[in-house]
Amino acid sequence: VQLQASGGGSVQAGASLRLSCAASGDAFDRYAWAWFRQAPGKEREWVAAIAWHGLTQYQPAVKGRFTISTENAESAVDLQMDRLKPEDTAVYYCATALTVAQVTTRPEYWGQGTLVTVSS
């Protein structure tokens, strides 16, 4: 199983970015997905999660600005990030497990990170 995250970059505050996570090596039809981030000097935290049936959850810091989806045929899961803030600067990781409870606490699989830098 391999997860490949992409789409990071350096942007100004207020801009948008879309992260994508490609998955291979298994059938993920009924898996839950999450995006985590790890800012410098901080612990990794989940920011958005989606169940296989589409129910989503967001951390308060990103709710209303980030959108997680699994509708892109080219990827397993995407994260649309709008109105980015400097405090969103972090390495972002995709992850998957059977349920949202599992993927937000003990993911089964991790992708490598993609760096998002937001300048003011």
Side-chain angles (χ1 to χ4, degrees):
V1 173
Q2 189 169 26
L3 305 184
Q4 182 80 28
S6 62
S10 296
V11 296
Q12 296 278 343
S16 297
L17 278 176
R18 188 175 185 90
L19 306 183
S20 293
C21 179
S24 61
D26 203 346
F28 295 100
D29 294 349
R30 295 205 171 200
Y31 272 64
W33 295 88
W35 284 95
F36 286 70
R37 68 184 180 187
Q38 186 166 19
K42 296 188 176 181
E43 293 188 356
R44 190 177 300 189
E45 60 172 358
W46 71 271
V47 294
I50 185 167
W52 69 268
H53 47 74
L55 189 65
T56 58
Q57 295 184 26
Y58 298 93
Q59 290 287 4
V62 307
K63 194 170 186 179
R65 300 188 297 120
F66 289 12
T67 304
I68 188 171
S69 71
T70 56
E71 296 179 359
N72 184 356
E74 301 298 318
S75 62
V77 62
D78 290 349
L79 185 68
Q80 176 67 38
M81 305 185 296
D82 298 319
R83 302 192 303 280
L84 282 160
K85 304 176 180 181
E87 51 263 43
D88 295 319
T89 294
V91 178
Y92 285 73
Y93 302 85
C94 55
T96 189
L98 285 175
T99 68
V100 169
Q102 291 174 352
V103 76
T104 55
T105 56
R106 291 176 288 108
E108 190 170 348
Y109 301 107
W110 287 98
Q112 94 296 348
T114 185
L115 177 63
V116 172
T117 303
V118 185
S119 57
S120 57

